[in-house]
mmCIF file of all heavy atoms in Angstrom:
data_model
loop_
_atom_site.group_PDB
_atom_site.id
_atom_site.type_symbol
_atom_site.label_atom_id
_atom_site.label_comp_id
_atom_site.label_asym_id
_atom_site.label_seq_id
_atom_site.Cartn_x
_atom_site.Cartn_y
_atom_site.Cartn_z
ATOM 1 N N GLY A 89 1.690 -24.028 -13.004
ATOM 2 C CA GLY A 89 2.811 -24.496 -12.174
ATOM 3 C C GLY A 89 3.572 -23.347 -11.559
ATOM 4 O O GLY A 89 3.287 -22.190 -11.742
ATOM 5 N N GLU A 90 4.569 -23.706 -10.742
ATOM 6 C CA GLU A 90 5.429 -22.746 -10.132
ATOM 7 C C GLU A 90 6.656 -22.454 -11.026
ATOM 8 O O GLU A 90 7.037 -23.239 -11.883
ATOM 9 C CB GLU A 90 5.939 -23.241 -8.751
ATOM 10 C CG GLU A 90 4.750 -23.457 -7.769
ATOM 11 C CD GLU A 90 5.194 -24.129 -6.508
ATOM 12 O OE1 GLU A 90 6.421 -24.216 -6.247
ATOM 13 O OE2 GLU A 90 4.309 -24.575 -5.767
ATOM 14 N N VAL A 91 7.226 -21.347 -10.808
ATOM 15 C CA VAL A 91 8.424 -20.839 -11.630
ATOM 16 C C VAL A 91 9.709 -21.048 -10.796
ATOM 17 O O VAL A 91 9.768 -20.495 -9.692
ATOM 18 C CB VAL A 91 8.241 -19.414 -12.034
ATOM 19 C CG1 VAL A 91 9.478 -18.990 -12.946
ATOM 20 C CG2 VAL A 91 6.965 -19.190 -12.842
ATOM 21 N N PRO A 92 10.612 -21.824 -11.254
ATOM 22 C CA PRO A 92 11.918 -21.987 -10.486
ATOM 23 C C PRO A 92 12.558 -20.641 -10.223
ATOM 24 O O PRO A 92 12.449 -19.708 -11.052
ATOM 25 C CB PRO A 92 12.804 -22.854 -11.421
ATOM 26 C CG PRO A 92 11.809 -23.593 -12.300
ATOM 27 C CD PRO A 92 10.671 -22.622 -12.476
ATOM 28 N N VAL A 93 13.175 -20.471 -9.036
ATOM 29 C CA VAL A 93 13.776 -19.197 -8.712
ATOM 30 C C VAL A 93 14.747 -18.696 -9.697
ATOM 31 O O VAL A 93 14.822 -17.493 -10.051
ATOM 32 C CB VAL A 93 14.451 -19.334 -7.310
ATOM 33 C CG1 VAL A 93 15.210 -18.003 -6.940
ATOM 34 C CG2 VAL A 93 13.418 -19.619 -6.261
ATOM 35 N N GLY A 94 15.546 -19.641 -10.357
ATOM 36 C CA GLY A 94 16.513 -19.210 -11.325
ATOM 37 C C GLY A 94 15.877 -18.706 -12.611
ATOM 38 O O GLY A 94 16.580 -18.131 -13.475
ATOM 39 N N GLU A 95 14.575 -18.902 -12.769
ATOM 40 C CA GLU A 95 13.891 -18.404 -14.022
ATOM 41 C C GLU A 95 12.874 -17.265 -13.747
ATOM 42 O O GLU A 95 12.294 -16.728 -14.637
ATOM 43 C CB GLU A 95 13.104 -19.568 -14.612
ATOM 44 C CG GLU A 95 13.948 -20.772 -15.077
ATOM 45 C CD GLU A 95 13.154 -21.872 -15.595
ATOM 46 O OE1 GLU A 95 11.972 -21.709 -15.878
ATOM 47 O OE2 GLU A 95 13.716 -23.045 -15.710
ATOM 48 N N LEU A 96 12.835 -16.817 -12.516
ATOM 49 C CA LEU A 96 11.979 -15.687 -12.186
ATOM 50 C C LEU A 96 12.472 -14.389 -12.761
ATOM 51 O O LEU A 96 13.721 -14.146 -12.706
ATOM 52 C CB LEU A 96 11.820 -15.562 -10.654
ATOM 53 C CG LEU A 96 11.007 -16.582 -9.903
ATOM 54 C CD1 LEU A 96 11.173 -16.440 -8.405
ATOM 55 C CD2 LEU A 96 9.525 -16.434 -10.263
ATOM 56 N N PRO A 97 11.618 -13.505 -13.268
ATOM 57 C CA PRO A 97 12.037 -12.149 -13.643
ATOM 58 C C PRO A 97 12.646 -11.457 -12.428
ATOM 59 O O PRO A 97 12.214 -11.645 -11.278
ATOM 60 C CB PRO A 97 10.716 -11.498 -14.065
ATOM 61 C CG PRO A 97 9.825 -12.599 -14.456
ATOM 62 C CD PRO A 97 10.141 -13.721 -13.548
ATOM 63 N N LEU A 98 13.689 -10.726 -12.685
ATOM 64 C CA LEU A 98 14.424 -10.095 -11.518
ATOM 65 C C LEU A 98 13.542 -9.162 -10.710
ATOM 66 O O LEU A 98 13.686 -9.104 -9.502
ATOM 67 C CB LEU A 98 15.608 -9.302 -12.049
ATOM 68 C CG LEU A 98 16.700 -10.087 -12.732
ATOM 69 C CD1 LEU A 98 17.818 -9.208 -13.298
ATOM 70 C CD2 LEU A 98 17.277 -11.126 -11.783
ATOM 71 N N GLU A 99 12.526 -8.541 -11.377
ATOM 72 C CA GLU A 99 11.662 -7.615 -10.577
ATOM 73 C C GLU A 99 10.692 -8.377 -9.623
ATOM 74 O O GLU A 99 10.115 -7.760 -8.746
ATOM 75 C CB GLU A 99 10.849 -6.735 -11.516
ATOM 76 C CG GLU A 99 9.866 -7.440 -12.443
ATOM 77 C CD GLU A 99 10.457 -7.916 -13.755
ATOM 78 O OE1 GLU A 99 11.683 -7.962 -13.845
ATOM 79 O OE2 GLU A 99 9.624 -8.159 -14.694
ATOM 80 N N ILE A 100 10.573 -9.705 -9.782
ATOM 81 C CA ILE A 100 9.725 -10.519 -8.954
ATOM 82 C C ILE A 100 10.483 -10.999 -7.696
ATOM 83 O O ILE A 100 9.871 -11.273 -6.691
ATOM 84 C CB ILE A 100 9.180 -11.713 -9.725
ATOM 85 C CG1 ILE A 100 8.420 -11.251 -10.985
ATOM 86 C CG2 ILE A 100 8.320 -12.581 -8.884
ATOM 87 C CD1 ILE A 100 7.207 -10.430 -10.679
#
Side-chain angles (χ1 to χ4, degrees):
E90 296 173 14
V91 180
V93 174
E95 298 176 15
L96 287 170
L98 295 178
E99 65 271 18
I100 303 298

